[in-house]
Tab-separated table of all heavy atoms in Angstrom:
chain	number	residue	atom	x	y	z
C	10	VAL	N	80.754	33.591	99.189
C	10	VAL	CA	81.240	32.430	98.451
C	10	VAL	C	81.888	32.825	97.213
C	10	VAL	O	81.449	33.775	96.483
C	10	VAL	CB	79.943	31.514	98.130
C	10	VAL	CG1	80.308	30.455	97.137
C	10	VAL	CG2	79.409	30.921	99.428
C	11	VAL	N	82.996	32.100	96.874
C	11	VAL	CA	83.714	32.230	95.606
C	11	VAL	C	83.620	30.932	94.887
C	11	VAL	O	83.962	29.887	95.445
C	11	VAL	CB	85.164	32.635	95.813
C	11	VAL	CG1	85.886	32.740	94.504
C	11	VAL	CG2	85.266	33.949	96.577
C	12	LEU	N	83.134	30.898	93.672
C	12	LEU	CA	82.911	29.697	92.935
C	12	LEU	C	83.983	29.548	91.857
C	12	LEU	O	84.284	30.529	91.165
C	12	LEU	CB	81.546	29.596	92.222
C	12	LEU	CG	80.348	29.454	93.091
C	12	LEU	CD1	79.084	29.321	92.188
C	12	LEU	CD2	80.398	28.283	93.985
C	13	VAL	N	84.572	28.341	91.742
C	13	VAL	CA	85.549	28.058	90.725
C	13	VAL	C	85.066	26.881	89.883
C	13	VAL	O	84.622	25.859	90.485
C	13	VAL	CB	86.929	27.790	91.274
C	13	VAL	CG1	87.938	27.345	90.212
C	13	VAL	CG2	87.476	28.954	92.056
C	14	GLY	N	85.108	26.943	88.562
C	14	GLY	CA	84.686	25.824	87.730
C	14	GLY	C	85.299	25.981	86.356
C	14	GLY	O	85.852	27.021	86.040
C	15	ARG	N	85.260	24.931	85.542
C	15	ARG	CA	85.875	24.955	84.196
C	15	ARG	C	84.913	25.535	83.161
C	15	ARG	O	85.422	26.069	82.154
C	15	ARG	CB	86.310	23.536	83.809
C	15	ARG	CG	87.517	23.049	84.566
C	15	ARG	CD	87.969	21.692	84.088
C	15	ARG	NE	86.938	20.707	84.345
C	15	ARG	CZ	87.095	19.363	84.111
C	15	ARG	NH1	88.242	18.969	83.540
C	15	ARG	NH2	86.167	18.512	84.425
C	16	ASN	N	83.608	25.427	83.376
C	16	ASN	CA	82.671	25.773	82.356
C	16	ASN	C	82.079	27.174	82.658
C	16	ASN	O	81.303	27.338	83.623
C	16	ASN	CB	81.524	24.775	82.310
C	16	ASN	CG	80.534	24.993	81.175
C	16	ASN	OD1	80.032	26.115	81.006
C	16	ASN	ND2	80.286	24.031	80.375
C	17	PRO	N	82.430	28.181	81.955
C	17	PRO	CA	82.044	29.544	82.216
C	17	PRO	C	80.548	29.727	82.285
C	17	PRO	O	80.032	30.456	83.129
C	17	PRO	CB	82.700	30.428	81.152
C	17	PRO	CG	83.827	29.579	80.588
C	17	PRO	CD	83.374	28.173	80.727
C	18	ASP	N	79.834	29.128	81.304
C	18	ASP	CA	78.381	29.291	81.253
C	18	ASP	C	77.677	28.678	82.508
C	18	ASP	O	76.829	29.321	83.110
C	18	ASP	CB	77.830	28.663	80.009
C	18	ASP	CG	78.295	29.411	78.719
C	18	ASP	OD1	78.656	30.596	78.830
C	18	ASP	OD2	78.355	28.773	77.681
C	19	ARG	N	78.104	27.490	82.820
C	19	ARG	CA	77.500	26.816	84.010
C	19	ARG	C	77.913	27.552	85.256
C	19	ARG	O	77.087	27.674	86.204
C	19	ARG	CB	77.964	25.323	84.031
C	19	ARG	CG	77.194	24.474	84.936
C	19	ARG	CD	77.372	23.047	84.677
C	19	ARG	NE	78.740	22.592	84.890
C	19	ARG	CZ	79.301	21.526	84.364
C	19	ARG	NH1	78.617	20.703	83.627
C	19	ARG	NH2	80.543	21.198	84.684
C	20	LEU	N	79.095	28.080	85.268
C	20	LEU	CA	79.570	28.843	86.466
C	20	LEU	C	78.745	30.082	86.643
C	20	LEU	O	78.329	30.400	87.791
C	20	LEU	CB	81.084	29.157	86.287
C	20	LEU	CG	81.800	29.669	87.487
C	20	LEU	CD1	81.849	28.641	88.615
C	20	LEU	CD2	83.224	30.076	87.060
C	21	ALA	N	78.472	30.800	85.553
C	21	ALA	CA	77.661	32.047	85.628
C	21	ALA	C	76.233	31.699	86.104
C	21	ALA	O	75.689	32.507	86.892
C	21	ALA	CB	77.650	32.731	84.299
C	22	GLN	N	75.692	30.641	85.643
C	22	GLN	CA	74.302	30.294	86.078
C	22	GLN	C	74.287	29.923	87.569
C	22	GLN	O	73.388	30.327	88.216
C	22	GLN	CB	73.834	29.085	85.206
C	22	GLN	CG	72.440	28.657	85.569
C	22	GLN	CD	71.962	27.507	84.646
C	22	GLN	OE1	72.636	27.131	83.746
C	22	GLN	NE2	70.781	26.988	84.937
C	23	ALA	N	75.324	29.202	88.011
C	23	ALA	CA	75.339	28.805	89.403
C	23	ALA	C	75.547	30.083	90.294
C	23	ALA	O	74.974	30.180	91.369
C	23	ALA	CB	76.544	27.844	89.657
C	24	ALA	N	76.409	30.949	89.826
C	24	ALA	CA	76.614	32.230	90.626
C	24	ALA	C	75.358	32.995	90.765
C	24	ALA	O	75.105	33.581	91.808
C	24	ALA	CB	77.731	33.026	89.930
C	25	ALA	N	74.580	33.134	89.689
C	25	ALA	CA	73.334	33.881	89.721
C	25	ALA	C	72.337	33.173	90.615
C	25	ALA	O	71.524	33.837	91.334
C	25	ALA	CB	72.773	34.019	88.347
C	26	ASP	N	72.337	31.852	90.648
C	26	ASP	CA	71.412	31.105	91.452
C	26	ASP	C	71.700	31.243	92.958
C	26	ASP	O	70.775	31.416	93.764
C	26	ASP	CB	71.532	29.614	91.017
C	26	ASP	CG	70.640	28.661	91.833
C	26	ASP	OD1	69.567	29.196	92.298
C	26	ASP	OD2	71.008	27.564	91.988
C	27	VAL	N	73.000	31.211	93.287
C	27	VAL	CA	73.331	31.249	94.722
C	27	VAL	C	73.533	32.644	95.215
C	27	VAL	O	73.195	32.929	96.401
C	27	VAL	CB	74.590	30.348	94.922
C	27	VAL	CG1	75.104	30.460	96.417
C	27	VAL	CG2	74.342	28.921	94.636
C	28	GLY	N	74.180	33.496	94.444
C	28	GLY	CA	74.547	34.799	94.873
C	28	GLY	C	75.932	34.816	95.533
C	28	GLY	O	76.085	34.517	96.693
C	29	VAL	N	76.959	34.985	94.695
C	29	VAL	CA	78.330	34.886	95.179
C	29	VAL	C	79.077	36.164	94.989
C	29	VAL	O	78.622	37.057	94.267
C	29	VAL	CB	79.098	33.715	94.388
C	29	VAL	CG1	78.343	32.413	94.577
C	29	VAL	CG2	79.276	34.081	92.948
C	30	VAL	N	80.231	36.287	95.641
C	30	VAL	CA	81.002	37.505	95.576
C	30	VAL	C	81.922	37.506	94.354
C	30	VAL	O	82.364	38.549	93.887
C	30	VAL	CB	81.793	37.772	96.899
C	30	VAL	CG1	80.854	37.984	98.032
C	30	VAL	CG2	82.782	36.604	97.155
C	31	ALA	N	82.298	36.301	93.891
C	31	ALA	CA	83.224	36.251	92.716
C	31	ALA	C	83.203	34.850	92.152
C	31	ALA	O	82.811	33.862	92.819
C	31	ALA	CB	84.626	36.607	93.147
C	32	THR	N	83.596	34.721	90.892
C	32	THR	CA	83.797	33.436	90.212
C	32	THR	C	85.092	33.422	89.493
C	32	THR	O	85.649	34.498	89.207
C	32	THR	CB	82.626	33.172	89.190
C	32	THR	OG1	82.661	34.170	88.176
C	32	THR	CG2	81.299	33.152	89.851
C	33	ALA	N	85.605	32.256	89.175
C	33	ALA	CA	86.804	32.130	88.376
C	33	ALA	C	86.653	30.837	87.531
C	33	ALA	O	86.426	29.803	88.093
C	33	ALA	CB	88.081	32.035	89.252
C	34	ALA	N	86.853	30.987	86.199
C	34	ALA	CA	86.702	29.854	85.288
C	34	ALA	C	88.081	29.394	84.854
C	34	ALA	O	88.753	30.072	84.083
C	34	ALA	CB	85.852	30.243	84.086
C	35	PHE	N	88.484	28.240	85.374
C	35	PHE	CA	89.770	27.606	84.971
C	35	PHE	C	89.765	26.177	85.501
C	35	PHE	O	88.945	25.839	86.333
C	35	PHE	CB	90.967	28.366	85.533
C	35	PHE	CG	91.109	28.380	87.065
C	35	PHE	CD1	91.940	27.376	87.646
C	35	PHE	CD2	90.504	29.280	87.808
C	35	PHE	CE1	92.109	27.356	88.997
C	35	PHE	CE2	90.615	29.274	89.257
C	35	PHE	CZ	91.433	28.297	89.793
C	36	ASP	N	90.732	25.415	84.965
C	36	ASP	CA	90.868	24.040	85.428
C	36	ASP	C	91.695	23.977	86.704
C	36	ASP	O	92.923	24.328	86.667
C	36	ASP	CB	91.577	23.216	84.298
C	36	ASP	CG	91.665	21.744	84.631
C	36	ASP	OD1	91.257	21.340	85.765
C	36	ASP	OD2	92.117	20.975	83.764
C	37	ALA	N	91.139	23.606	87.836
C	37	ALA	CA	91.846	23.626	89.099
C	37	ALA	C	92.972	22.636	89.117
C	37	ALA	O	93.850	22.631	89.991
C	37	ALA	CB	90.869	23.355	90.231
C	38	ALA	N	92.950	21.634	88.196
C	38	ALA	CA	94.083	20.674	88.148
C	38	ALA	C	95.331	21.232	87.519
C	38	ALA	O	96.366	20.575	87.558
C	38	ALA	CB	93.634	19.390	87.354
C	39	ASP	N	95.258	22.459	86.993
C	39	ASP	CA	96.416	23.128	86.466
C	39	ASP	C	97.113	23.907	87.564
C	39	ASP	O	96.562	24.897	88.097
C	39	ASP	CB	95.972	24.138	85.360
C	39	ASP	CG	97.133	24.846	84.709
C	39	ASP	OD1	98.149	25.061	85.306
C	39	ASP	OD2	96.975	25.255	83.498
């Protein structure tokens, strides 16, 4: 799983909770 979200802190917490291969913090509407 790769997680994308705007909030880096919330994204990091979610990644640690689930166990993902990568994350990216940016606004997907851009």
